[in-house]
């Protein structure tokens, strides 16, 4: 079954994914940080039981994973897929995950909150992703009672999520803006408007692969639709600037040279670390979206980026690997995925 | 017409060329450093006239180039081809060059000596190259009287060439020995045996592309055949060591990774400096000789190395070029020459 990121989508040249998460908690049960073991079991059983009713309906079939029983490489691979957060990986007792087969819709249980409903879509599809998350939220609310306060809205463990409990975000690929050195300034300006822009890979000071996550920060005093509109409008401005800069860059021979060399290395390397892969994949992705590189789609590239993450690669290959084996295997997958790539003339 | 280096030859995996030069001077005429202009004209006319008699015989057709009239990019390209030396490029008045069409046999006039007969062959062919040079020497000696002393042998401007006046050399590609750090020590040992090993490109401390020239230093007290046997025996030892080390290296995944990445970059780059090209070409040449890279022959690679040298590239393209234009043009030629290259499986 294909994953959500394997679909072609509008604006995928810059937006490589749309994410909506809704934080929800069950009335009368302490927040995760204060839950007893029996509270955890109760919530996990309750959510699982409820979702069983939705199984096989519009949501397709759900996979239920009791996180405390899975090996840690599996747990890390779920974090790499964005289905659970990093903290859950280290403390998985009583935690669970329920996910649709294409991973476009999921619910993490006993992470930051009792329930984190997560909806994902390729490209820029805020409304679509929101309505999917909202549908599941409505269904669950009918069966479980969510903690809600007339003044504060949904009650969440993290006070910054009080209100809608919704974090909407876009995974933006900004190689041209990063190259121009203006990402830092843009992030500062966005912060004043209640939005954050953070690098997805690497550190803030040394981002890898030019992938950034643009998210709303404000969950209170603003409806879900207002937050989405706000995010969408800023995203469109950033996307326009990125496109304009890419167009200027791609006409430079030295930039074409860099893009095509990166393609050449990815098509030929026998060993590849994930960090190196990301940097080169970012250049090639830019080349694809600018029409310089043909034979590979943006979607192929995004799929590859998800698939060759360290734990995902190891887990899907079914076992333990040394770092050299992993690099060898990654290089092999990359060569295979990019073998059709060439200058588009 | 193909050049001498475009022929496949034995031992070409390590030896990319054999060179025999014979220094000769005309009796009764001062050495080049003390020649008057009329002396220079006299020698050039005399040699040209004599070689006219040999034109169209076993040597094929000769091309005669009066060096003072050619543009400097042409003169530099002749130095890059090894037909004249670097000093002649800067002071070309009264200098000349006569060369067979495949450049396997040539005579430079009024360089270090009145005449430098030069014979070139692919791979390791010391006897063949010597007999070709010797044949032309004998023919010329019959028509011009060469300065010869019973005690000292042939008289040459450079006292280190007195005697046979013969410098025999091999262009050895030693990537594995260079990688192992043992080239310096080998060169020191060879010096004790009257041989020199010097890098062809880059400096001694920073050789580019792992090409070295192994030459005899002793021209006196030793016959031509003794000098050739001596050189040949040491060359065979070096070649064996290089082959052994290449075999060990090529089984390492990290080495295969390096070789194939270099191929990938050369097949995709849009801009290439000659130094960068040399380094990468050296790795690919090693990959070809080790059976890792297929679709390209060692001879293709050696031809490419000659053809994309800065002045050769500029001269053959028929005009002045900026450095960026040259790098673009070089990258284009390299891509074209290596497009069939791939992992040999």
């Amino acid at each position: 079954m294909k994953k959500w990121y394997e679909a072609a989508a509008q604006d995928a040249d810059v937006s490589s994914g749309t994410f909506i998460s809704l934080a929800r908690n069950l009335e009368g049960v302490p927040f995760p940080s204060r839950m007893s073991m029996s509270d955890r079991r109760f919530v996990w059983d309750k959510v699982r039981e409820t979702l069983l009713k939705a199984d096989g309906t519009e949501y397709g079939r759900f996979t239920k994973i009791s996180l405390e029983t899975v090996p840690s490489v599996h747990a890390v691979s779920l974090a790499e897929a964005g289905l659970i957060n990093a903290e859950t990986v280290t403390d998985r007792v009583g935690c669970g995950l329920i996910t649709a087969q294409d991973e476009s819709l999921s619910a993490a249980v006993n992470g930051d909150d009792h329930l984190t409903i997560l909806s994902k879509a390729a490209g820029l599809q805020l409304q679509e992703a929101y309505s999917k998350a909202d549908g599941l939220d409505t269904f669950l609310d009918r069966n479980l009672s969510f903690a809600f306060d007339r003044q504060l809205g949904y009650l969440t463990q993290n006070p910054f999520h009080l209100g809608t409990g919704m974090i909407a975000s876009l995974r933006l690929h900004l190689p041209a803006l990063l190259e121009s050195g203006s990402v830092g300034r843009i992030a500062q300006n966005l912060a004043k408007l209640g939005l954050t822009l953070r690098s997805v890979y690497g550190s803030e000071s040394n981002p890898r692969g030019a992938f950034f996550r643009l998210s709303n920060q404000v969950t209170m005093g603003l409806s879900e639709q207002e937050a989405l509109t706000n995010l969408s409008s800023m995203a469109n401005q950033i996307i326009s600037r990125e496109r304009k800069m890419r167009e200027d860059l791609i006409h430079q021979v030295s930039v074409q040279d860099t893009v095509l060399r990166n393609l050449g290395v990815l098509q030929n390397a026998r060993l590849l670390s994930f960090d190196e892969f990301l940097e080169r994949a970012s250049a090639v992705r830019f080349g694809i979206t600018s029409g310089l590189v043909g034979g590979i789609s943006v979607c192929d590239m995004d799929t590859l980026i998800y698939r060759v993450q360290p734990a995902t690669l190891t887990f899907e290959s079914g076992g333990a690997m040394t770092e050299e084996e992993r690099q060898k295997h990654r290089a092999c997958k990359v060569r295979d995925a990019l073998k059709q790539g060439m200058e588009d003339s």
Side-chain angles (χ1 to χ4, degrees), chain A:
Chain A
M1 170 115 194
K2 287 205 169 185
K3 306 285 195 215
W4 62 271
Y5 47 75
E6 292 177 78
Q10 232 178 340
D11 299 313
D13 57 334
V14 182
S15 179
S16 82
T18 303
F19 311 88
I20 302 286
S21 84
L22 301 174
R24 299 292 184 256
N25 291 278
L26 272 59
E27 229 172 27
V29 183
F31 284 136
S33 63
R34 297 173 172 201
M35 283 168 107
S36 66
M37 189 52 71
S38 65
D39 289 336
R40 289 181 174 246
R41 305 262 185 250
F42 169 77
V43 171
W44 174 226
D45 289 345
K46 192 96 183 152
V47 172
R48 218 168 23 174
E49 200 177 283
T50 309
L51 274 172
L52 206 63
K53 297 181 194 161
D55 203 4
T57 63
E58 59 184 296
Y59 303 114
R61 295 205 61 81
F62 282 115
T63 303
K64 294 155 216 81
I65 302 169
S66 172
L67 291 172
E68 62 182 277
T69 65
V70 303
S72 92
V73 62
H74 187 182
V76 180
S77 79
L78 294 170
E80 285 176 351
L83 293 166
I84 60 176
N85 61 30
E87 293 75 46
T88 305
V89 173
T90 51
D91 181 15
R92 308 200 293 281
V93 181
C95 296
L97 173 70
I98 295 173
T99 171
Q101 288 190 287
D102 69 354
E103 295 177 4
S104 68
L105 193 63
S106 61
V109 177
N110 296 330
D112 279 345
D113 293 278
H114 293 158
L115 247 177
T116 308
I117 296 167
L118 189 56
S119 159
K120 305 199 190 84
L124 198 165
Q125 303 190 62
L126 284 164
Q127 287 304 332
E128 294 79 352
Y130 174 69
S131 89
K132 217 165 171 181
D134 186 44
L136 186 60
D137 180 38
T138 305
F139 169 81
L140 289 169
D141 201 9
R142 242 181 282 135
N143 293 274
L144 311 161
S145 290
F146 288 149
F148 186 85
D149 178 280
R150 276 177 188 265
Q151 291 262 304
L152 299 171
Y154 288 102
L155 300 179
T156 57
Q157 173 162 274
N158 181 339
F160 290 114
H161 296 164
L162 280 170
T164 59
M166 180 188 83
I167 299 295
S169 58
L170 298 169
R171 177 181 157 110
L172 302 180
H173 184 220
L174 306 175
L177 284 169
L178 181 64
E179 174 70 25
S180 76
S182 47
V183 169
R185 198 167 27 77
I186 294 173
Q188 282 171 15
N189 291 336
L190 288 168
K192 296 176 198 153
L193 302 167
L195 298 173
T196 60
L197 186 69
R198 292 212 183 97
S199 67
V200 176
Y201 304 106
S203 61
E204 289 314 311
S205 58
N206 186 20
R208 293 276 183 183
F211 287 97
F212 294 87
R213 192 176 275 257
L214 176 70
S215 314
N216 66 311
Q217 279 286 72
V218 182
T219 52
M220 206 178 246
L222 213 74
S223 72
E224 285 87 349
Q225 283 305 326
E226 283 166 333
L228 293 176
T229 307
N230 196 4
L231 182 70
S232 167
S233 124
M234 291 316 300
N236 283 322
Q237 287 184 40
I238 296 173
I239 291 171
S240 299
R241 283 185 62 183
E242 170 67 23
R243 282 184 182 143
K244 173 79 190 62
M245 295 189 92
R246 285 190 193 177
E247 224 174 286
D248 291 344
L249 282 176
I250 205 64
H251 291 105
Q252 298 174 22
V253 183
S254 63
V255 172
Q256 296 170 7
D257 180 58
T258 303
V259 167
L260 293 163
R261 280 167 179 245
N262 277 300
L263 176 63
V265 171
L266 292 183
Q267 286 176 327
N268 285 279
R270 262 38 186 180
L271 292 171
L272 267 180
S273 73
F274 184 60
D275 275 359
E276 183 190 354
F277 163 75
L278 265 181
E279 297 280 7
R280 299 195 185 277
S282 172
V284 173
R285 193 184 194 282
F286 158 54
I288 296 168
T289 61
S290 304
L292 176 66
V293 174
I296 321 165
S297 70
V298 168
C299 174
D300 294 339
M301 205 68 217
D302 287 346
T303 301
L304 187 61
I305 294 172
Y306 277 104
R307 290 280 163 86
V308 301
Q309 293 181 101
T312 305
L313 193 74
T314 309
F315 178 62
E316 289 187 356
S317 312
M321 278 183 171
T322 63
E323 177 57 19
E324 186 181 285
E325 285 166 346
R326 189 159 34 239
Q327 292 207 11
K328 236 168 130 169
H329 191 55
R330 181 179 293 116
C332 179
K333 272 195 176 292
V334 169
R335 285 202 307 280
D336 194 52
L338 304 187
K339 60 174 180 259
Q340 305 296 337
M342 69 190 104
E343 190 186 11
D344 206 3
S345 48

